[in-house]
């Protein structure tokens, strides 16, 4: 192991240089786990400390005796701690250093729980997190909390640094026990790259070079890992996003839209779509401090001029028309609550998203996450430093991306409207998979330029061709009530009688058009909405559609009928007792719901609202499939007869 007096490590062995030249990482973990010592050690051994600083550090180390007669790297950070004690707010200590392979910006975040908000702030701009653990104490709540928050904030590279190995006699057994426990914990996190290292920040073991005191560890030392880790942080490959920060009009001949390119790139002549206005234009010029540029990419602060006169204001966003951002007033988000005052659902806050500020509220809290077990807990509110999933509602629509796609356009903060205190940080989740039911049903077109072109074949011509008006048979009921079985038996019966008919089965939809949806109430609602849209297309084409879905919520059933057209929907409710449905279930969904693996499961963890105005109710626990099919067929014939159409052989 190299001593502190030796020069910074030379790169005797040349490795391929990663494409990224700057890595931002943070150190976090519980109190006294050695974060300051580790950063100090990295600064010392990479030559980031001047000789006069090193001499002063050696004197202070001898005077204080915190590391015996050796140099204590943690003293390098004392200046920042003094600043904190004097009331100068530097909650996260940022340090810069570099090696021949890469530049680094490290963020030393506080370990106390009450400063979790500072840790979250540091994590929001970091690409890698070093989670420190005291080898004598093992995993603590702060270890799990910081790991979860780092994952929540999009950090996909976690490094568990088991520190103070010198105090446990460099025990391989202790290291492996801690690593095993940690890997089990992070298994559920969105952090595919997890590395574990045994280190001693004070002694320098496995920090910049491999330690001969732990010959059983032959992987990369920490610094080499930081140099070589491949982090995909190049936002220039994403779709173009340009939040407008200011409109510049120095004279009547110039109107420029100022801001920083949040993602993607733009070239003169490229088309842009303005959100929320919906107008399109092309980039006429790109003005920068150094003059006009032909093109720019993510991170560039410029002013864009457009070929057309468009009313654009601060808070609007210019995006790629081919890959527009989501645009809605309602969405789901993960939030970290940062205020001593608990979250109050429905209370109005300022919501700051990119360059736009509007009012918003936590419409409802879906669950809180237990940082120790990662279990989802139903609670009415969140307290300081707690995290959870919620449904957000804003006064004005926002143009956004999921946080996993774009950390800038997918994040927001909540600010108290009276105290101006930042009370929460939010990360928007993928709206297609977690959208609040009502928001997708009533979502507006993203561009007013979209036009609907009707078919040239009239409904009367289709009725004349098929002999009857098309309609949708909406089969609803609990899982296991017989929807799929009856739907396909009915399809077979009607097809045999010459009817143009098809089945939309809720589970089958999840193999294709709804494959990304889960089984929450919102996602079930979205599955029904998509089915309703497809059913309407089938009916418009003259085809009878049998839609078999649970549809447990009365309001969403009404919305589905509205999409299809209430006059051409026959609602058939398959009414079977819950226990009978459980006995029929061979897929294990009910057992999974009992365990909590499936949330909002109708009849188990969510209410099933039995319809009161169904056109037909069938007791499938008492009737055979054939009886049910015959009853539905009879009701369908009645519908057709009332419509004044023939039945083409169906009696």
């Amino acid at each position: 192991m190299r001593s502190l007096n030796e020069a910074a490590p030379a790169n005797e062995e040349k490795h391929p240089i990663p494409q990224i030249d700057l890595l931002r990482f943070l150190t976090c973990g519980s109190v006294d786990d050695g974060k300051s010592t580790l950063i100090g050690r990295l600064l010392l051994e990479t030559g980031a400390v001047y000789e006069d600083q090193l001499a002063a550090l050696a004197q202070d180390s001898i005077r204080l005796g915190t590391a015996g007669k050796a140099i204590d790297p943690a003293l390098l950070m004392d200046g920042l701690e003094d600043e904190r004690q004097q009331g100068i707010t530097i909650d996260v200590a940022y340090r810069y250093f570099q090696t021949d392979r890469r530049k680094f910006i490290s963020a030393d975040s506080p370990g106390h729980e009450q400063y979790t908000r500072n840790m979250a702030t540091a994590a929001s701009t970091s690409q890698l997190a070093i989670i420190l653990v005291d080898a004598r104490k093992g995993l603590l709540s702060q270890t799990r909390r910081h790991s979860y928050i780092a994952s929540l904030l999009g950090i996909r590279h976690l490094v568990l640094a088991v520190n103070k190995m010198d105090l446990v006699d460099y025990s391989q057994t202790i290291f492996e026990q801690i690593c095993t426990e940690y890997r089990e914990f992070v298994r559920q996190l969105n952090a595919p790259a997890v590395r574990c290292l045994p280190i001693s920040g004070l002694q320098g073991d496995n920090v910049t070079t491999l330690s001969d005191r732990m010959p059983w560890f032959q992987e990369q030392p920490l610094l080499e890992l930081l140099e070589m880790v491949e982090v995909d942080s190049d936002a220039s490959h994403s779709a173009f996003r340009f939040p407008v920060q200011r409109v510049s009009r120095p004279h009547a001949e110039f109107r420029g839209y100022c801001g920083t390119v949040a993602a993607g790139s733009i070239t003169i002549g490229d088309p842009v779509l303005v959100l929320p206005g919906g107008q399109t234009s092309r980039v006429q010029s790109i003005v920068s401090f150094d003059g006009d540029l032909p093109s720019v990419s993510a991170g560039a602060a410029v002013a864009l001029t457009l070929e057309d006169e468009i009313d654009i204001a601060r808070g609007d966003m210019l995006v790629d028309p081919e890959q527009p951002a989501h645009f809605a007033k309602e969405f789901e988000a993960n939030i970290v609550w940062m205020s001593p005052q608990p979250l109050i659902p429905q209370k109005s806050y300022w919501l700051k998203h990119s360059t736009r500020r509007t009012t918003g509220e936590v419409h409802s809290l879906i669950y809180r996450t237990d940082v120790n077990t990662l279990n989802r807990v139903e609670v009415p509110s969140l307290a300081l430093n707690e995290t959870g999933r919620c449904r957000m509602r804003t006064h004005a629509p926002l143009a956004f991306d999921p946080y996993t796609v774009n950390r800038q356009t997918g994040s927001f903060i909540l600010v108290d409207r009276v105290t101006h205190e930042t009370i929460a940080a939010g990360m928007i989740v993928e709206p297609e998979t977690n959208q609040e039911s009502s928001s997708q049903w009533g979502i507006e077109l993203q561009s007013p330029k979209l036009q609907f072109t009707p078919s040239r074949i009239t409904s009367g011509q289709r009725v004349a061709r098929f002999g009857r008006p098309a309609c949708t048979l909406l089969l609803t009921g609990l899982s296991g009530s017989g929807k799929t079985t009856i739907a396909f038996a009915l399809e077979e019966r009607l097809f045999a009688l010459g009817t143009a008919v098809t089945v939309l089965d809720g589970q089958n939809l999840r193999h294709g058009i709804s494959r990304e949806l889960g089984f929450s109430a919102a996602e079930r609602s979205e599955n029904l909405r998509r089915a309703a849209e497809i059913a309407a297309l089938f009916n418009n084409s003259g085809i009878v559609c049998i839609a078999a879905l649970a549809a447990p919520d009365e309001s969403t059933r009404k919305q589905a009928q509205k999409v299809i057209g209430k006059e051409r929907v026959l609602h058939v409710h398959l009414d079977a007792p819950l226990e009978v449905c459980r006995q029929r279930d061979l897929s294990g969904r009910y057992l999974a719901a009992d365990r909590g693996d499936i949330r909002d499961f109708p009849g188990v963890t969510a209410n099933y609202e039995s319809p009161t105005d169904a056109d037909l109710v069938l007791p499938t626990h008492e009737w055979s499939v054939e009886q049910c099919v015959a009853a539905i067929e009879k009701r369908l014939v009645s519908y057709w007869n009332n419509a004044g159409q023939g039945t083409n052989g169906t009696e």
Side-chain angles (χ1 to χ4, degrees):
M1 186 176 59
R2 188 173 57 85
S3 72
L4 291 177
N5 295 326
E6 294 177 348
N11 296 286
E12 299 89 354
E13 185 180 352
K14 297 297 182 184
H15 296 274
I17 299 176
Q19 295 303 309
I20 186 173
D21 62 351
L22 174 66
L23 176 72
R24 302 179 70 106
F25 69 92
L26 83 155
T27 57
C28 52
S30 191
V31 182
D32 294 332
D33 51 17
K35 297 184 294 297
S36 297
T37 301
L38 177 61
I39 291 183
R41 173 67 61 180
L42 284 170
L43 295 175
L44 284 170
E45 299 205 8
T46 54
V49 181
Y50 295 112
E51 291 185 1
D52 56 337
Q53 290 177 307
L54 189 59
L57 178 64
Q59 293 178 358
D60 289 343
S61 298
I62 294 173
R63 177 172 56 85
L64 297 174
T66 51
K69 296 182 179 180
I71 288 180
D72 184 358
L75 297 180
L76 277 172
M77 312 302 289
D78 279 356
L80 292 173
E81 292 179 359
D82 288 341
E83 289 178 346
R84 294 191 188 103
Q85 293 172 3
Q86 294 170 25
I88 302 173
T89 305
I90 305 178
D91 295 321
V92 179
Y94 292 94
R95 287 296 181 121
Y96 170 86
F97 65 96
Q98 71 177 83
T99 66
D100 291 341
R101 293 171 175 166
R102 179 171 274 180
K103 300 174 182 177
F104 302 93
I105 295 179
S106 68
D108 182 16
S109 60
H112 292 83
E113 183 178 346
Q114 60 264 40
Y115 297 129
T116 298
R117 57 184 294 165
N118 309 106
M119 178 269 165
T121 301
S124 66
T125 58
S126 296
Q127 301 153 305
L128 179 147
I130 301 175
I131 314 289
L132 279 99
V133 171
D134 188 327
R136 300 168 300 176
K137 301 176 182 177
L139 303 188
L140 302 175
S141 291
Q142 277 298 77
T143 312
R144 298 183 176 89
R145 185 189 307 278
H146 285 182
S147 299
Y148 175 68
I149 292 176
S151 170
L152 201 63
L153 287 164
I155 298 177
R156 299 171 64 83
H157 296 268
L158 301 182
V159 177
L160 181 74
V162 182
N163 195 20
K164 305 186 181 182
M165 289 296 295
D166 53 311
L167 301 182
V168 294
D169 296 328
Y170 301 100
S171 170
Q172 180 180 3
T173 301
I174 292 177
F175 170 72
E176 292 179 347
Q177 287 175 345
I178 294 174
C179 291
T180 300
E181 184 180 359
Y182 186 75
R183 289 187 184 281
E184 180 64 24
F185 171 74
V186 299
R187 189 169 52 86
Q188 302 177 60
L189 300 181
N190 184 27
V194 178
R195 297 286 300 273
C196 298
L197 281 86
I199 67 169
S200 170
L202 184 62
Q203 303 298 330
D205 296 289
N206 291 336
V207 176
T208 58
T209 57
L210 286 177
S211 170
D212 54 10
R213 290 182 282 218
M214 288 179 276
W216 45 267
F217 182 79
Q218 291 298 318
E219 298 181 29
Q220 294 172 303
L222 178 61
L223 181 61
E224 186 175 331
L225 189 156
L226 296 177
E227 289 178 322
M228 303 304 295
V229 64
E230 295 185 10
V231 182
D232 182 14
S233 64
D234 191 358
S236 15
H237 298 307
S238 304
F240 175 69
R241 301 287 186 264
F242 185 78
V244 177
Q245 187 173 23
R246 187 172 71 89
V247 179
S248 176
R249 292 214 66 188
H251 52 78
E253 304 300 322
F254 183 89
R255 178 190 288 268
Y257 306 104
C258 307
T260 301
V261 181
S265 59
I266 195 75
T267 300
I268 292 176
D270 282 354
V272 293
L273 170 68
V274 182
L275 294 176
Q279 309 95 326
T280 57
S281 183
R282 291 183 180 275
V283 175
Q284 186 175 55
S285 65
I286 303 172
V287 183
S288 75
F289 182 78
D290 298 320
D292 288 3
L293 300 172
S295 62
V296 288
S297 56
V302 295
L304 302 181
T305 66
L306 304 182
E307 294 179 353
D308 304 284
E309 288 287 338
I310 299 176
D311 182 18
I312 300 175
R314 172 184 169 85
D316 292 350
M317 187 181 295
L318 307 183
V319 303
D320 183 348
E322 298 296 326
Q323 302 179 72
H326 297 285
F327 189 61
K329 293 182 180 179
E330 298 182 0
F331 50 86
E332 286 191 13
N334 294 310
I335 61 172
V336 180
W337 195 252
M338 299 175 168
S339 173
Q341 302 300 320
L343 179 153
I344 302 176
Q346 307 291 338
K347 181 180 178 180
S348 179
Y349 300 104
W350 287 120
L351 188 148
K352 179 74 167 54
H353 170 260
S354 189
T355 58
R356 175 174 286 264
R357 189 183 75 168
T358 182
T359 53
E361 62 192 30
V362 176
H363 178 255
S364 59
L365 181 63
I366 302 174
Y367 59 79
R368 173 178 67 82
T369 301
D370 185 322
V371 296
N372 287 309
T373 63
L374 299 183
N375 287 338
R376 299 167 175 177
V377 185
E378 292 188 11
V379 293
S381 180
L382 292 179
L384 176 66
N385 297 325
E386 290 185 335
T387 63
R389 175 75 64 88
C390 65
R391 295 186 178 95
M392 297 296 304
R393 179 175 294 170
T394 59
H395 177 73
L398 299 180
F400 60 85
D401 295 290
Y403 185 80
T404 53
V405 175
N406 190 313
R407 294 172 77 172
Q408 182 170 337
T409 59
S411 62
F412 63 89
I413 60 172
L414 293 180
V415 179
D416 189 285
R417 298 177 65 178
V418 176
T419 65
H420 290 190
E421 173 194 15
T422 300
I423 57 174
M427 288 68 68
I428 301 172
V429 299
E430 181 67 53
E432 287 86 350
T433 60
N434 296 285
Q435 189 71 286
E436 167 72 353
S437 57
S438 60
S439 61
Q440 285 291 343
W441 287 100
I443 194 169
E444 299 175 355
L445 291 175
Q446 293 204 2
S447 173
K449 293 183 178 296
L450 295 173
Q451 296 181 349
F452 182 82
T453 304
S455 171
R456 296 179 181 177
I457 302 174
T458 66
S459 59
Q461 289 175 304
R462 295 184 190 279
V463 171
R465 170 65 61 86
F466 293 107
R468 59 181 64 84
C471 64
T472 293
L473 293 157
L474 178 60
L475 274 56
T476 64
L478 290 169
S479 177
S481 60
K483 299 184 295 296
T484 301
T485 301
I486 293 173
F488 283 104
L490 178 62
E491 180 193 38
E492 190 174 28
R493 168 65 178 165
L494 295 178
F495 183 79
L497 296 173
T499 304
V501 60
T502 191
V503 171
L504 281 180
D505 181 72
Q507 292 189 61
N508 285 357
L509 291 177
R510 295 175 181 277
H511 288 264
I513 194 171
S514 297
R515 67 175 57 182
E516 85 282 12
L517 295 181
F519 295 91
S520 68
E523 290 162 316
R524 290 179 188 278
S525 173
E526 173 60 12
N527 195 36
L528 176 59
R529 187 192 68 80
R530 296 180 188 183
E533 295 282 0
I534 298 171
L537 292 175
F538 277 129
N539 288 171
N540 291 341
S541 300
I543 300 172
V544 173
C545 180
I546 306 171
L549 299 106
D553 183 68
E554 179 67 15
S555 64
T556 54
R557 288 196 294 261
K558 297 293 184 186
Q559 289 172 307
Q561 292 173 345
K562 184 178 179 181
V563 169
I564 301 169
K566 192 174 187 310
E567 72 286 352
R568 60 181 185 183
V569 174
L570 288 176
H571 182 190
V572 181
H573 178 55
L574 307 186
D575 188 17
L578 177 61
E579 290 309 313
V580 173
C581 294
R582 278 183 175 274
Q583 294 170 6
R584 291 173 175 173
D585 179 30
L586 301 178
S587 65
R589 287 195 292 272
Y590 277 98
L591 293 177
D594 291 336
R595 293 193 304 268
D597 296 341
I598 303 178
R599 64 187 177 102
D600 298 337
F601 193 80
V604 180
T605 54
N607 186 33
Y608 187 94
E609 299 176 4
S610 296
T612 57
D613 59 349
D615 296 286
L616 191 63
V617 178
L618 301 178
T620 60
H621 59 296
E622 297 174 347
W623 290 19
S624 66
V625 173
E626 290 74 18
Q627 286 176 303
C628 293
V629 169
I632 298 173
E633 180 188 350
K634 182 178 180 180
R635 183 65 183 82
L636 181 60
V637 170
S638 175
Y639 169 81
W640 280 331
N641 287 337
N642 289 336
Q645 307 297 327
T647 59
N648 271 359
T650 302
E651 302 297 338

